[in-house]
Amino acid sequence: MQELPLIARAQSHGHRIAVRAGDREYTYAELLDASAAVAAALLGAGKDLAEACIAFLAPGGFEYLAIQWGIWRAGGVVVPLSVSATKSELEHALGDSGASHVVVLRAHAEKLESLPGESDRQLLIFEDIALTANCLLPEIDPTRRAMILFTSGTTSTPKGVVTTHENIRAQIESLVEAWEWENSDCIPLFLPMHHIHGIINIACCALWAGATVECFPKFEAGRILGRVGAGAYTLFMAVPTIYVVLIDLLESQRYTGEVRERILSGFANMRLMVSGSAALPSTVHEKWTALTGQSLLERYGMTETGMNLSNPLHGERRPGAVGKPLPLVEVRRKSESGDLITVEGEPGEIQVRGPVVFREYWNRPEATSEAFDDGWFRTGDVAVLENGYYRIMGRMSIDIIKSGGYKLSALEIESVLLNHPAIRECAVVGVKDDTWSELVGVVAVLKDGASDLSIEDLRAWCKEWLSPYKVPRRLLVVDDLPRNAMGKVTKTVLADTFGR
Ligand code: MLC
Ligand code: AMP
C-alpha cells in the first residue's frame, strides 16, 4: 500500500528519536504505533474517514503528533484547535468546520464538554485510546484535503484555510531543500500548534527529515535557555517577539557569568536560526548578531501559501529584507491598478503561485475566488525588490494586525467590543510596538449615560470573549492613527467617529 510520504519516511527512521518532551523520548516507531491506534479508534468499523473534519485539542507534544498523524492515516482532515481559545472561538472552529469528532487530552476535555452542539460530536479522550490498537488503513490520494487552519482576515470571522496532502508535501520539501534539514538536526518547538509556523516549518519539516523535535507546551524561556546552554539544538525558529524577549533576558541580570556564556555559545553553535511570521526589525537582527554571532535568517510566508520568500542559507542575509522565492514558489508583484511590476524599486502586492498554495477557504467559494488573480494568490502584503531581494513594506489593509506573530482581524475584535454595554462605536487598529510588532489598540465612543470606561475594565471584560493576544492593550487618541503600506488611513469608521 502506498503511504502518505511523511508516514513512509517515518517508517525508514524507525528507532531514531522523533520527539523529546520533558524527560521522555519517543522514537519514530512509537509515533507510528500511537498514530495507527488513533486512526483505528477514529475508524471504528469504517474503512476511510473520507475527508471528514476531525478537530483536536492538545499542546505541542508526542500526543499532538500522534493525533495529527492518526487523523491523516485514517483519511480525515485535521482541524487543530488553539489551547488558549475562548469558548466562542472554539465554537466557531468546530461549527465552521463541521467536525464530526474531537480528539482531546483529558486535561483539556472540560473546555469542550460544555460547548453547544457537543452532543452531535463524538468526543474522544486520547488517554482512553488503547495505544496497541491497529487496523487496515486506507490509501490516501495526495490531492485530498489534509488540514484546516483558521486565519483572520478582512472579514469578522476567521476563515478555514484548506490545504491538501500535496500542498503540505510541497511546503515541507521547499523548506527541507532550502534550509538543508538533516536527520542529525534537533529543534525546540514552543510555538502554538494551530498555526503553520509550528506545524509545518518546525514539526513537519523535522519529522520529514528524521530529526528530533523537543516539545514545550508553550514558550518557557527559562527551560528553553537551559537546553540551549546544554547545546541541545542545531536549529531554532521563532517569531520576532521571541527574539526581543530573549535579548531582554540575556541583557538582564538574570543570566550572568558562566551560565550566560554557555547560553550564548549554545546559540552561536547552532547551524541556523530563523525569524518569521512578522517583520524582524533591523535593530533586532543586528543586536542578535552582536550578542550571539548568529545572523538570523528572515523569511516570509502565510497560512494560505506556506513559506514564499527567504534569505539564503548560504550567502548574504540582509537585515530588513526577506530574500528571494523559495523552491517550488513563484512570486510576482502587482500595482494597485493591477499592472504587473517589472522594475525593482516600485512597491506592489506580492502574489504567489505553485504547489504550496492552498486549495480553498472552507465553505467560502466566493472568498476563495476573490483571493486569486488569474491563478495567483493575492497575499495582501506589499513589497519592493531591492538589489534582488524582496523587502516587505506592510499590508494593504490596516484591518489586519500582527501581534506577537498572531494575525488578528480588527473587525473580529470590533464586533466583540460592540457587545460591551458601554460602547456605542469603536475602531480597532494595530499600534506599532518594539516587542509585539503591533499592539491591539482601540478607539471607543461610549453610549450616552455610560460611565467612563478604562482600558483595564475593558480588558477584564474581553478576556471571556477573546484569546489573550486579541485583548486590546491601548486606548488611542486620534493622532496615533496608523496608516497602511500605501500611506492611507483606510478605515472609514475612524472618519465617521472623529470626522473634523
Ligand atoms: C500576550 N501578551 C501580550 C500579547 N500576548 N501583550 C501584548 N500583545 C500581545 N499580543 C501579554 C499577556 O497579557 C501577559 O501580560 C504577557 O504578555 C505574557 O502573556 P503570555 O500569553 O504568557 O505570553 P507568552 O506565552 O510569552 O506569549 C508570547 C509569544 C506568543 C510571543 C511566545 O504570543 C507566541 O507563541 N506567538 C507566536 C504565534 C505564532 O506562532 N504565529 C505564527 C502564525 S503563522 P501580563 O501583564 O498578564 O503578564 C504565520 C505564517 C508565517 O504567521 O509566516 O509564519
Ligand atoms: P498568517 O496569516 O497568520 O499566516 O500570517 C501571514 C502574514 O504574516 C503575512 O501575510 C505577512 O503579513 C506576515 N509575515 C510573515 N512573515 C513576515 C516577515 N518576515 N515580514 C513581514 N511580515 C511577515
Side-chain angles (χ1 to χ4, degrees):
M1 184 186 83
Q2 207 187 335
E3 292 273 13
L4 288 169
L6 193 58
I7 303 299
R9 294 178 64 90
Q11 281 158 350
S12 72
H13 304 316
H15 293 287
R16 300 186 61 80
I17 303 298
V19 180
R20 208 173 278 134
D23 51 9
R24 288 214 49 188
E25 288 183 338
Y26 304 86
T27 62
Y28 279 85
E30 284 175 287
L31 186 53
L32 286 166
D33 287 349
S35 62
V38 173
L42 286 168
L43 283 169
K47 287 192 166 61
D48 186 338
L49 290 177
E51 295 192 1
C53 290
I54 313 291
F56 68 113
L57 185 59
F62 175 75
E63 297 80 3
Y64 177 103
L65 296 165
I67 298 168
Q68 183 197 52
W69 286 22
I71 297 168
W72 279 340
R73 298 180 79 184
V77 176
V78 298
V79 185
L81 303 172
S82 159
V83 287
S84 60
T86 60
K87 259 187 178 184
S88 52
E89 290 164 341
L90 289 173
E91 260 176 72
H92 174 70
L94 291 168
D96 193 84
S97 65
S100 59
H101 293 66
V102 191
V103 190
V104 61
L105 296 199
R106 195 181 305 286
H108 294 271
E110 206 187 319
K111 284 187 196 145
L112 299 167
E113 279 160 357
S114 54
L115 293 182
E118 201 44 52
S119 51
D120 306 331
R121 275 186 295 273
Q122 220 178 309
L123 196 68
L124 211 64
I125 308 282
F126 177 80
E127 288 86 343
D128 291 343
I129 297 171
L131 287 186
T132 47
N134 220 322
C135 73
L136 194 64
L137 297 173
E139 191 152 336
I140 316 290
D141 187 275
T143 60
R144 276 168 57 162
R145 294 176 182 85
M147 179 156 75
I148 297 182
L149 298 180
F150 282 91
T151 189
S152 296
T154 46
T155 54
S156 68
T157 51
K159 297 190 286 279
V161 174
V162 181
T163 41
T164 62
H165 289 283
E166 228 165 32
N167 296 147
I168 290 178
R169 176 185 186 148
Q171 292 176 0
I172 299 171
E173 283 186 327
S174 171
L175 293 185
V176 168
E177 180 187 331
W179 299 342
E180 298 179 7
W181 275 89
E182 297 272 353
N183 65 10
S184 51
D185 280 320
C186 181
I187 187 165
L189 171 57
F190 42 73
L191 293 178
M193 286 300 279
H194 60 295
H195 282 305
I196 195 167
H197 195 160
I199 299 173
I200 300 288
N201 298 21
I202 301 179
C204 286
C205 284
L207 298 176
W208 181 275
T212 301
V213 205
E214 186 159 306
C215 298
F216 299 84
K218 63 182 298 230
F219 177 64
E220 298 168 341
R223 281 183 61 209
I224 294 162
L225 285 178
R227 295 287 295 150
V228 169
Y233 310 125
T234 61
L235 287 171
F236 195 94
M237 295 184 194
V239 300
T241 299
I242 288 180
Y243 288 109
V244 174
V245 169
L246 291 175
I247 290 171
D248 285 351
L249 273 173
L250 291 169
E251 285 182 344
S252 73
Q253 288 307 306
R254 177 147 167 221
Y255 294 97
T256 53
E258 215 182 296
V259 174
R260 182 172 184 275
E261 288 313 309
R262 268 207 299 272
I263 294 170
L264 292 179
S265 73
F267 281 124
N269 291 333
M270 289 182 196
R271 73 166 186 87
L272 174 65
M273 298 193 70
V274 179
S275 173
S277 300
L280 178 72
S282 303
T283 47
V284 178
H285 186 121
E286 282 150 9
K287 263 192 180 171
W288 191 257
T289 306
L291 202 59
T292 65
Q294 281 277 355
S295 171
L296 293 174
L297 179 153
E298 183 171 7
R299 57 64 182 171
Y300 158 90
M302 216 174 160
T303 304
E304 285 89 334
T305 61
M307 300 304 110
N308 306 134
L309 297 165
S310 173
N311 276 281
L313 180 66
H314 308 290
E316 184 200 3
R317 296 187 196 155
R318 198 181 297 167
V322 291
K324 300 182 178 187
L326 280 156
L328 304 174
V329 182
E330 285 178 84
V331 173
R332 70 175 188 186
R333 283 173 307 137
K334 278 261 181 119
S335 71
E336 249 185 321
S337 51
D339 299 321
L340 201 59
I341 296 177
T342 48
V343 292
E344 278 216 331
E346 201 177 315
E349 183 190 34
I350 302 175
Q351 300 193 346
V352 179
R353 193 168 68 172
V356 292
V357 177
F358 77 127
R359 169 179 168 147
E360 64 197 342
Y361 291 116
W362 182 241
N363 282 338
R364 301 198 201 208
E366 252 178 58
T368 308
S369 75
E370 279 166 17
F372 286 87
D373 172 0
D374 198 19
W376 291 76
F377 175 69
R378 308 173 52 185
T379 62
D381 291 305
V382 176
V384 283
L385 245 183
E386 287 170 345
N387 301 320
Y389 279 31
Y390 285 84
R391 182 165 64 80
I392 310 287
M393 301 181 71
R395 288 173 297 276
M396 294 172 83
S397 166
I398 65 161
D399 283 330
I400 296 170
I401 300 170
K402 263 269 155 147
S403 188
Y406 284 106
K407 187 179 192 186
L408 313 176
S409 157
L411 303 182
E412 181 193 352
I413 300 171
E414 282 164 11
S415 73
V416 170
L417 293 177
L418 286 174
N419 293 324
H420 189 284
I423 292 180
R424 179 159 61 88
E425 286 175 74
C426 69
V428 166
V429 280
V431 185
K432 251 189 179 315
D433 183 79
D434 289 346
T435 301
W436 298 95
S437 307
E438 287 179 293
L439 286 176
V440 176
V442 57
V443 199
V445 178
L446 300 186
K447 285 183 183 160
D448 290 343
S451 57
D452 281 356
L453 179 71
S454 71
I455 187 73
E456 287 75 24
D457 291 342
L458 189 59
R459 290 186 57 187
W461 180 87
C462 283
K463 279 185 182 153
E464 190 178 335
W465 307 104
L466 292 163
S467 290
Y469 40 87
K470 294 181 189 165
V471 172
R473 313 277 153 173
R474 283 278 194 86
L475 271 173
L476 298 180
V477 293
V478 181
D479 291 346
D480 284 341
L481 298 181
R483 292 163 192 278
N484 74 1
M486 306 292 196
K488 291 182 192 151
V489 175
T490 55
K491 221 165 159 144
T492 49
V493 65
L494 294 174
D496 293 340
T497 309
F498 300 104
R500 304 173 170 188

